[in-house]
């Protein structure tokens, strides 16, 4: 009989590519993870992982079991959801991980809405960038991730996750007031090819949006200044240090005295925001109202 706990460990190793990283995500020791993998191999009668200089990879037998693992764990999530519904599930805590702007735009309003509509549900919020929040859901560190689509992100049909689209927002061009395009009604990105750029660090989903938009305009941005805090990005642009693309919602309430904000000419770069839960958990009586509240405030 295969233990579900060991299937969780197999998936974590597949996701994180090393025993050490999987152990850290699961709050286990590396030796405990190795022991559980060995026990799983004994249960199945197959070698499931191979260790190499670059980490751990699944064997063909491991890949077969991983496919079944995703289905089994999703079904277990559904079982937990139905049992919770059977016992009413009217009260409990749901942990939501989201990037800062997402917290301000949808998570905080959803918390306020749930206080009125589902007072038994307590929300615990954690600030995490979109590329970090999805692994946190898979590793069962949080229940819901509010994340941004990015290159390399799990697709909408990923067997491990259920996606709920929330909203899409454009990026605007932010240039110093002294910039040659400051008076233009719209900013063609190709005109900024020779400028110095300010933007998020690689790994931040917004970095991907900026770089891809510039690539589509025919150039690689010369990113000389990096910050994941858009207030710092705007402050540097105000000081004349360069130009930037910033999500429109991130500019709300910000001091824009030294910069000009203009829409991008043509098709604006856009970030698409969604909520994600472990597949099968979307009908849990605690999680479903939170997803509905996020969707409601995002659609307002």
């Amino acid at each position: 009989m295969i233990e579900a706990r060991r299937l969780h460990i197999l998936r974590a190793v597949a996701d994180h590519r090393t025993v050490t990283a999987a152990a850290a995500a699961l709050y286990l020791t590396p030796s405990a993870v190795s022991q559980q993998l060995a026990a799983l191999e004994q249960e199945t009668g197959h070698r499931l992982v191979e260790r190499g200089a670059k980490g751990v990879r699944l064997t063909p037998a491991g890949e077969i079991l991983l496919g079944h693992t995703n289905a089994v764990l999703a079904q277990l999530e559904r079982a937990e959801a139905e049992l919770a519904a059977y016992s009413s599930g009217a009260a409990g805590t749901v942990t939501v991980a989201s990037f800062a702007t997402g917290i301000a735009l949808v998570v905080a309003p959803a918390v306020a809405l749930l206080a009125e509509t589902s007072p038994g549900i307590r929300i615990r919020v954690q600030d995490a960038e979109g590329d970090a929040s999805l692994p946190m859901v898979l590793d069962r560190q949080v229940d819901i991730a509010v994340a941004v689509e990015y290159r390399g992100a799990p697709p909408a049909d990923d067997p491990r996750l259920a996606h709920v689209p929330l909203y899409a927002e454009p990026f605007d061009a932010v240039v110093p007031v002294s910039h040659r395009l400051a008076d233009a009604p719209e900013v063609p990105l190709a005109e900024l090819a020779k400028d110095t750029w300010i933007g998020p660090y690689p790994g931040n989903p917004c970095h991907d949006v900026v770089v891809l938009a510039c690539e589509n305009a025919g150039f690689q941005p010369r990113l000389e200044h990096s910050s994941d805090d858009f207030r710092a990005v705007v402050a540097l642009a105000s000081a004349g240090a360069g130009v930037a693309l910033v999500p429109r919602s991130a500019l709300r309430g910000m001091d824009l005295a030294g910069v000009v904000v203009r829409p991008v000419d043509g098709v604006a770069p856009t970030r698409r925001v969604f909520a994600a839960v472990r597949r099968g958990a979307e009908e849990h009586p605690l999680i479903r109202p939170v997803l509905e509240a996020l969707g409601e405030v995002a659609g307002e």
Side-chain angles (χ1 to χ4, degrees), residues 18-293:
T18 71
V19 168
T20 301
L26 297 173
Y27 300 103
L28 297 172
T29 64
S31 62
V33 169
S34 294
Q35 289 169 9
Q36 292 299 318
L37 286 175
L40 184 59
E41 289 181 329
Q42 186 173 5
E43 287 173 345
T44 60
H46 292 278
R47 187 178 182 186
L48 301 175
V49 298
E50 293 180 345
R51 292 170 174 80
K54 296 183 179 180
V56 175
R57 70 178 184 86
L58 298 188
T59 64
E63 292 288 355
I64 291 172
L65 184 58
L66 180 64
H68 290 286
T69 291
N70 292 327
V72 168
L73 296 183
Q75 190 60 41
L76 286 174
E77 292 283 356
R78 294 186 189 99
E80 290 181 9
E82 289 189 20
L83 288 170
Y86 176 75
S87 62
S88 82
T93 300
V94 175
T95 304
V96 181
S98 172
F99 57 101
T101 309
I103 292 175
L105 201 61
V106 292
V107 177
V111 170
L113 177 60
L114 287 163
E116 298 178 359
T117 60
S118 302
I121 299 178
R122 177 172 174 258
I123 307 297
R124 180 181 292 124
V125 180
Q126 296 185 19
D127 189 335
E129 290 298 336
D131 58 327
S133 61
L134 295 176
M136 292 169 72
V137 168
L138 291 171
D139 293 334
R140 305 181 71 87
Q141 297 173 8
V142 301
D143 301 302
I144 299 174
V146 174
V148 178
E149 290 182 2
Y150 59 95
R151 285 189 283 191
D157 61 352
D158 190 291
R160 302 167 299 169
L161 295 168
H163 284 219
V164 178
L166 294 179
Y167 65 91
E169 66 170 327
F171 281 56
D172 288 326
V174 177
V175 302
V177 292
S178 59
H179 195 273
R180 64 188 181 281
L181 296 177
D183 294 328
E186 296 181 332
V187 172
L189 282 186
E191 295 295 320
L192 302 177
K194 295 183 179 180
D195 283 81
T196 298
W197 279 74
I198 312 158
Y201 284 101
N204 185 316
C206 290
H207 174 89
D208 286 346
V209 174
V210 171
V211 171
L212 184 60
C214 293
E215 288 176 351
N216 289 338
F219 69 97
Q220 284 282 341
R222 186 159 51 91
L223 284 160
E224 292 195 3
H225 310 288
S226 299
S227 175
D228 288 334
D229 186 335
F230 286 115
R231 291 170 298 181
V233 170
V234 171
L236 286 167
S238 179
V243 300
L245 289 174
V246 177
R248 187 166 293 171
S249 64
L251 295 167
R252 295 178 184 174
M254 201 179 290
D255 181 6
L256 303 174
V259 298
V260 171
V261 178
R262 294 288 184 265
V264 173
D265 184 31
V267 178
T270 301
R271 69 171 173 182
R272 304 184 188 283
V273 179
F274 63 94
V277 299
R278 291 180 295 278
R279 190 170 292 277
E282 60 270 28
E283 292 303 319
H284 192 286
L286 292 178
I287 292 176
R288 185 179 64 252
V290 180
L291 292 175
E292 290 174 349

